[in-house]
Amino acid sequence: MKKNVIAIMGPTAVGKTRLSIELAKKFNGEIISGDSMQVYKGLDIGTAKIKPSEMEGIPHHMIDIRDPDQDFSAADFKDYVQQYIDEITARDRLPIIVGGSGLYIQSALYDYNFSDVKRDAAATRKMEEAVAAEGILPLYKRLEQIDPEQAAKIHPNNHRRVIRAMEIYETTGMTMTAYQENQTMESPYRPILIGLEMEREILYGRINERVDQMIADGLVEEVRNLYENGYSDSQSMSAIGYKEFIPYFNGEHSLEDSIHLLKRNSRRYAKRQLTWFKNKLDVRWYDMTNGPIDEKLRIIFNDLAGILK
């Protein structure tokens, strides 16, 4: 029999963390973070990383496993998550993935093969020489034209990933986005996908309030510390919640401008998340807009009790 794996999906600030803790307590689960930026040490407030005091004794995985200057890809995520799924199920417990990085979660649950396209040493060398001579921006701008969706996921200073995305296009004529979308949707697991959604204006209000709370909790100081330690060009600092403050520290924006930009980017990301989940995966959706949260949890628990039998 395939292993049961629950994945809780939905836009930021919709209530995924609360549900994950309650599900883990009820169904003897362990939680795997599905957020591609919570892997980084020191990125705590801006990624809404759960505090140890909030975990209620539930084991959490995929948090603080990378230094801020290290790369982390969907392929890395897939390898880690599949290992954790094996370990958790071996303990006769239920793996529960929680997060908002849709491609990362999909890659792990549906066993994407990121090595199908063999490396082309000549093409790679040619691009590396061009980058050495001209810098990364010309190649990155070409990637933006060819595959804007992939370019949006890659920091311009991540030379390896920019070159790899362009290499796949040069070698196959297919963008990396198209390559990933054409993967076979067959899972080695029995994925149970739970989606949380909320009326847009209410969700946006919650996002704005969350940003205000992050600022009160010390987000600016957290980003400043990373900036002053030389991480401003790292992949980790391309995350929403961090990149918005770089112009402020560079003297190009006011703090108010950066906070406004963070709220806007967070709202736009939430909209993209919801669209992605609804278009790409077969998710059971639950509206969290109105009504007592305990009643909504009870409905989800009852549905899952029937599925997990």
Side-chain angles (χ1 to χ4, degrees):
M1 287 182 62
K2 291 183 176 181
K3 302 166 184 172
N4 288 321
V5 180
I6 291 178
I8 303 174
M9 303 176 173
T12 185
V14 78
K16 298 186 295 294
T17 299
R18 165 79 186 276
L19 173 60
S20 69
I21 293 291
E22 297 302 325
L23 282 181
K25 289 193 294 187
K26 186 168 185 63
F27 294 104
N28 192 32
E30 297 186 24
I31 293 170
I32 303 170
S33 170
D35 187 298
S36 62
M37 291 298 167
Q38 290 188 356
V39 301
Y40 289 111
K41 301 171 186 174
L43 277 72
D44 302 328
I45 299 171
T47 63
K49 195 179 291 178
I50 189 169
K51 300 180 182 70
S53 60
E54 298 169 336
M55 293 180 182
E56 299 192 34
I58 304 299
H60 282 65
H61 308 282
M62 294 289 288
I63 295 174
D64 293 341
I65 62 172
R66 282 285 196 274
D67 291 325
D69 59 347
Q70 292 180 298
D71 291 342
F72 191 75
S73 67
D76 295 327
F77 179 88
K78 172 196 150 182
D79 291 342
Y80 271 100
V81 168
Q82 292 188 339
Q83 177 181 334
Y84 282 125
I85 289 173
D86 289 343
E87 293 173 358
I88 292 168
T89 53
R91 292 191 284 271
D92 199 26
R93 301 185 68 138
L94 177 65
I96 302 172
I97 304 174
V98 186
S101 302
L103 172 64
Y104 280 54
I105 295 173
Q106 189 179 31
S107 73
L109 290 179
Y110 294 93
D111 201 24
Y112 276 19
N113 189 340
F114 289 93
S115 59
D116 278 352
V117 180
K118 292 186 172 17
R119 303 307 303 243
D120 186 323
T124 300
R125 185 167 56 252
K126 183 177 178 181
M127 284 185 275
E128 287 174 343
E129 290 171 354
V131 169
E134 305 168 7
I136 191 64
L137 282 182
L139 189 66
Y140 183 77
K141 288 189 177 300
R142 188 163 174 238
L143 177 62
E144 284 184 314
Q145 294 174 343
I146 291 168
D147 189 357
E149 186 173 339
Q150 193 63 220
K153 301 172 186 173
I154 303 175
H155 192 282
N157 288 327
N158 192 331
H159 295 192
R160 180 178 61 84
R161 290 187 65 197
V162 173
I163 289 172
R164 178 56 173 160
M166 286 302 303
E167 179 194 351
I168 287 176
Y169 178 75
E170 297 283 0
T171 303
T172 67
M174 181 184 293
T175 66
M176 183 174 279
T177 297
Y179 172 72
Q180 291 168 346
E181 288 177 348
N182 287 336
Q183 294 272 353
T184 302
M185 290 292 285
E186 177 66 31
S187 178
Y189 311 110
R190 185 178 177 231
I192 302 162
L193 311 182
I194 303 298
L196 305 184
E197 58 184 339
M198 185 174 286
E199 184 180 312
R200 182 169 296 177
E201 290 308 311
I202 294 177
L203 177 65
Y204 285 177
R206 286 169 62 101
I207 290 171
N208 290 338
E209 290 173 4
R210 171 178 279 192
V211 170
D212 289 336
Q213 187 61 53
M214 287 178 172
I215 299 300
D217 289 344
L219 176 59
V220 178
E221 291 73 18
E222 177 174 280
V223 186
R224 189 192 303 275
N225 180 62
L226 294 162
Y227 176 86
E228 292 178 347
N229 279 283
Y231 296 124
S232 58
D233 290 331
S234 299
Q235 177 185 338
S236 60
M237 292 288 275
S238 68
I240 293 173
Y242 297 85
K243 63 182 180 181
E244 291 83 5
F245 293 98
I246 302 301
Y248 167 58
F249 297 135
N250 288 338
E252 300 163 2
H253 284 180
S254 69
L255 178 58
E256 291 73 20
D257 287 340
S258 292
I259 294 172
H260 173 77
L261 190 61
L262 172 53
K263 289 180 177 179
R264 189 199 71 181
N265 287 347
S266 297
R267 294 191 301 268
R268 289 180 176 178
Y269 180 56
K271 183 179 178 181
R272 291 198 306 272
Q273 283 178 302
L274 200 53
T275 300
W276 197 97
F277 290 131
K278 291 205 169 185
N279 289 342
K280 305 288 186 183
L281 295 170
D282 183 17
V283 180
R284 296 173 174 84
W285 289 100
Y286 296 87
D287 191 334
M288 308 299 285
T289 303
N290 297 309
I293 184 66
D294 289 342
E295 175 61 20
K296 295 179 185 299
L297 293 178
R298 186 188 65 78
I299 292 170
I300 296 172
F301 291 164
N302 287 344
D303 290 349
L304 284 173
I307 296 168
L308 291 171
K309 284 182 180 177

